Amino acid sequence: RLIAAMKKIRKGDLGAFIPQSHSTYEFEVMNKTFNSMASEIKELKINVYEEQLNSQKAELKHLQLQINPHFFLNSLNIIYTLAQVKQYNLIQEMALCLVHYFRYMFRSNSDFVLLEEEIEHTQNYLKIQVMRFPDNLTYDISIPDDLKKCAVPPLLIQTFVENTIKHAVTMDGSIHISINVHLSELDPDHLQIRIHDTGKGFSEEILQQLQSEKGIYKEEGKHIGIWNVQRRLRLLYEKQATIVFSNSIEGGANV
């Protein structure tokens, strides 16, 4: 009976115990001690698991509340510039976009939001950036109505759009960003979100880093947004969600 219970414990059955029976005093003490140890191990494992869950929830909240200070400062600078040339209509539009943007950022400490909310937030961000680059940035968004109520992690799409604008948009040429959402052809239970731009694409070095998830989180904060999304997806979905980085044949970057 002792050996049978030990084998169950070894296989992960922490509910295994030795039933009471008439035996010598020494075996009776051994059986009671074994049952007590097994019970304590089970309780300890449950406590460790709960602590891990609490730690993951705390990490998720921390990751989701990160706000890019450069974006905030750039937005204030745009408003200041518009005020200098008395573009009051654009100032009103800019201020309204910022209100919607930060309202979403401050409520995005939940694990999931509706896809239509994430799309609306991304549109607000893009409108602000179009005011910043009026002759150099255009965009389009395609999403079926029946997918708008799907639940996704907040800042999932906007993070990659922000990365594109940071690294691809310049005053030297025009960039177009496309966001396309549909059900996966390989697995209709999975969403497929594609973000494509018409820029120069990823360099070979960056592409290898992104694909291997190595070296994308550096001390100076480079690619911290991408690392942030990858980390949150892993915490929420484990291996059920993937991010694929590539360069398009026609040019530009794909996420």
Side-chain angles (χ1 to χ4, degrees), residues 14 39-55:
L14 298 179
S39 178
E40 289 179 9
I41 290 172
K42 182 178 181 180
E43 186 176 349
L44 180 62
K45 193 165 186 178
I46 290 173
N47 291 339
V48 169
Y49 179 69
E50 289 178 347
E51 195 63 37
Q52 287 175 338
L53 286 179
N54 291 333
S55 176

Side-chain angles (χ1 to χ4, degrees), residues 170-221:
T170 66
M171 305 301 288
D172 300 328
S174 60
I175 293 288
H176 184 79
I177 298 175
S178 296
I179 302 170
N180 184 276
V181 184
H182 58 272
L183 290 178
S184 170
E185 296 179 359
L186 299 176
D187 187 351
D189 289 331
H190 281 72
L191 278 177
Q192 185 165 318
I193 302 169
R194 180 177 183 256
I195 301 157
H196 170 71
D197 67 67
T198 58
K200 296 180 180 179
F202 298 111
S203 68
E204 283 300 318
E205 179 187 1
I206 294 298
L207 193 57
Q208 289 177 5
Q209 290 177 356
L210 293 172
Q211 289 171 339
S212 64
E213 297 187 26
K214 294 179 180 178
I216 65 168
Y217 180 49
K218 299 180 179 179
E219 291 182 2
E220 66 269 22

Side-chain angles (χ1 to χ4, degrees), residues 1 10 29 44 71 76 126 150 155 158 166-167 177 180 190 229 249:
R1 285 195 298 268
R10 188 169 60 191
V29 171
L44 180 62
F71 168 76
L76 291 178
L126 282 165
C150 291
L155 309 178
Q158 186 258 328
K166 185 189 299 183
H167 296 286
I177 298 175
N180 184 276
H190 281 72
V229 172
I249 298 175

Side-chain angles (χ1 to χ4, degrees), residues 4-214:
M6 291 172 72
K7 286 182 177 178
K8 288 181 180 179
I9 293 282
R10 188 169 60 191
K11 291 180 179 178
D13 181 6
L14 298 179
F17 68 98
I18 303 172
Q20 288 185 348
S21 63
H22 298 291
S23 183
T24 63
Y25 174 74
E26 288 83 356
F27 270 105
E28 189 176 337
V29 171
M30 191 191 311
N31 292 347
K32 287 182 178 179
T33 304
F34 179 88
N35 288 341
S36 176
M37 288 173 59
S39 178
E40 289 179 9
I41 290 172
K42 182 178 181 180
E43 186 176 349
L44 180 62
K45 193 165 186 178
I46 290 173
N47 291 339
V48 169
Y49 179 69
E50 289 178 347
E51 195 63 37
Q52 287 175 338
L53 286 179
N54 291 333
S55 176
Q56 287 184 355
K57 288 178 181 178
E59 184 179 355
L60 274 172
K61 286 186 178 180
H62 172 70
L63 289 171
Q64 289 164 196
L65 288 173
Q66 289 179 346
I67 295 176
N68 187 340
H70 299 294
F71 168 76
F72 182 60
L73 294 175
N74 282 335
S75 299
L76 291 178
N77 193 46
I78 293 170
I79 292 177
Y80 176 78
T81 303
L82 291 172
Q84 282 186 312
V85 294
K86 299 181 180 181
Q87 293 282 344
Y88 300 124
N89 289 335
L90 288 179
I91 291 173
Q92 288 179 325
E93 185 180 349
M94 179 73 170
L96 192 59
C97 286
L98 282 173
V99 167
H100 292 313
Y101 177 88
F102 284 109
R103 181 179 292 153
Y104 183 88
M105 292 293 288
F106 291 133
R107 67 171 283 270
S108 65
N109 59 347
S110 56
D111 290 346
F112 297 98
V113 295
L114 294 180
L115 183 56
E116 64 180 346
E117 294 175 327
E118 173 69 9
I119 290 293
E120 184 180 349
H121 170 69
T122 303
Q123 281 182 314
N124 273 319
Y125 177 80
L126 282 165
K127 286 177 183 177
I128 293 170
Q129 296 302 330
V130 167
M131 291 184 201
R132 184 182 172 194
F133 303 101
D135 301 318
N136 305 90
L137 177 62
T138 56
Y139 67 91
D140 70 87
I141 300 174
S142 173
I143 173 175
D145 290 336
D146 58 339
L147 297 182
K148 290 182 178 180
K149 300 300 181 183
C150 291
V152 297
L155 309 178
L156 177 67
I157 298 174
Q158 186 258 328
T159 297
F160 292 105
V161 171
E162 181 177 348
N163 190 68
T164 295
I165 290 173
K166 185 189 299 183
H167 296 286
V169 179
T170 66
M171 305 301 288
D172 300 328
S174 60
I175 293 288
H176 184 79
I177 298 175
S178 296
I179 302 170
N180 184 276
V181 184
H182 58 272
L183 290 178
S184 170
E185 296 179 359
L186 299 176
D187 187 351
D189 289 331
H190 281 72
L191 278 177
Q192 185 165 318
I193 302 169
R194 180 177 183 256
I195 301 157
H196 170 71
D197 67 67
T198 58
K200 296 180 180 179
F202 298 111
S203 68
E204 283 300 318
E205 179 187 1
I206 294 298
L207 193 57
Q208 289 177 5
Q209 290 177 356
L210 293 172
Q211 289 171 339
S212 64
E213 297 187 26
K214 294 179 180 178

